[in-house]
Amino acid sequence: MNPFFFLQPFHKLPTVVRMTLRSPSLMVVLLCLTVLTGCSLFQNAIKSSVDHLALGNPSQARVVLANANNYLMKKPQFVLSYNRAKGIPNWVSWQLDQTWLGEVERRNNFRADQSLPPKWEKVDARDYSRSGYDRGHMAPSGDRTNTEANNAATFVMTNIIPQTPDNNRGPWVDLENHCRDLVEEGKELFIMAGGYGEKTTIANGKVIPPQNLWKIVVVMDETDLGVKGISPNTSTIAVDIPNQQGIKRHEWQDYQVTIDSLEKQTGYDFLSDVPKPIQDVLESRRLP
């Protein structure tokens, strides 16, 4: 648990925590339970209040069956827009701070996402077999290591995109590690990732790999402020990496671009919930 969690204003604490603090007898009971369960009760209370779409919904995805190629799926660990025709997410969005990180080992239980509408065909792990692609996480397994349940949640196939091994195991994973290094320094990150373009289908046409993978990272110096803490001086990272072999030894910094350029490639409106004057500054800037 974040050691500064209880230092925030009382009215901003989750309901279950406020109720506990108002009742001494309930507090004793719940403290005993949380000691026995590794403080999971309060951890769950914290996580239920996380807004993974704090920066905005870039494609205006909705939970509407007719919106099958831009279908909004909200999970405790991340939020995504699913593309039924391509069998992959258009984008995945998640928040990352130290409370998500722990010692849980990688679960590696890739599986179909049973929360998709019942009549939709579901991609499963076997659909990537002998395809030449890795099952590439958008929200990484390494960003959810505080509980087994949170780590396992990253292995649903709606969070997976076909990535070439050299992309996935090269600059892509290096940027993931860099993000966690920033969090270990005390930063809070808001991250979005996805792909654009189309390559030859796999799984008998069930899955369409993208030509490029992109990622946007907004780096907050102070935690728990959300969009209110973003200023023209807030650091951002944006990359556009080709989904191809031969780039494993490349640095992720080689693929830095502006957020504006990613909007042109994808057609999405990033940072849409950030005040427009600040949004314009951040989207036109590239990290040196």
Side-chain angles (χ1 to χ4, degrees), residues 49-259:
S49 65
V50 171
D51 182 5
H52 295 298
L53 278 181
L55 300 178
N57 182 333
S59 63
Q60 295 304 303
R62 296 179 297 157
V63 188
V64 177
L65 291 179
N67 212 36
N69 294 332
N70 188 24
Y71 184 76
L72 184 66
M73 303 182 72
K74 292 186 176 182
K75 302 176 182 294
Q77 299 82 11
F78 51 85
V79 175
L80 65 98
S81 163
Y82 186 70
N83 191 308
R84 183 185 182 187
K86 294 183 177 182
I88 59 174
N90 295 309
W91 51 261
V92 180
S93 182
W94 68 102
Q95 180 262 10
L96 179 61
D97 61 22
Q98 291 181 5
T99 64
W100 288 106
L101 303 181
E103 302 298 328
V104 169
E105 293 185 2
R106 178 184 171 98
R107 305 306 296 165
N108 219 40
N109 56 338
F110 291 98
R111 63 202 185 280
D113 192 337
Q114 298 302 328
S115 67
L116 284 167
K119 295 183 179 180
W120 289 12
E121 187 174 26
K122 297 174 177 62
V123 175
D124 63 36
R126 293 170 297 179
D127 288 317
Y128 283 57
S129 297
R130 300 180 180 179
S131 68
Y133 290 98
D134 285 354
R135 292 167 293 198
H137 283 76
M138 292 298 95
S141 162
D143 283 6
R144 298 291 183 257
T145 55
N146 60 340
T147 70
E148 290 185 359
N150 285 336
N151 189 260
T154 68
F155 288 90
V156 291
M157 297 302 290
T158 51
N159 181 45
I160 303 299
I161 282 181
Q163 286 182 264
T164 60
D166 282 4
N167 179 305
N168 188 39
R169 306 174 200 181
W172 193 261
V173 73
D174 290 342
L175 179 53
E176 290 178 347
N177 291 331
H178 176 68
C179 288
R180 286 191 287 274
D181 288 343
L182 291 174
V183 168
E184 293 293 353
E185 295 172 4
K187 312 291 188 184
E188 177 182 19
L189 309 184
F190 291 96
I191 309 173
M192 282 191 175
Y196 69 85
E198 297 184 4
K199 300 180 74 175
T200 303
T201 64
I202 62 174
N204 295 318
K206 194 174 176 180
V207 179
I208 304 178
Q211 287 185 332
N212 285 59
L213 280 297
W214 57 265
K215 178 174 283 188
I216 294 170
V217 184
V218 176
V219 184
M220 309 293 297
D221 289 327
E222 297 184 53
T223 61
D224 302 323
L225 293 179
V227 174
K228 294 180 180 178
I230 297 178
S231 75
N233 297 320
T234 297
S235 295
T236 60
I237 300 170
V239 296
D240 186 354
I241 306 178
N243 196 16
Q244 64 186 39
Q245 289 291 86
I247 64 171
K248 186 174 182 179
R249 298 188 182 279
H250 293 189
E251 303 288 341
W252 63 263
Q253 292 91 339
D254 297 338
Y255 297 100
Q256 289 185 101
V257 295
T258 65
I259 297 174

Side-chain angles (χ1 to χ4, degrees), residues 15-42 45:
T15 301
V16 65
V17 179
R18 296 200 305 269
M19 290 174 61
T20 301
L21 294 176
R22 288 192 179 108
S23 172
S25 59
L26 183 58
M27 182 184 295
V28 171
V29 172
L30 292 182
L31 284 176
C32 291
L33 288 173
T34 52
V35 168
L36 293 173
T37 61
C39 297
S40 62
L41 175 66
F42 286 118

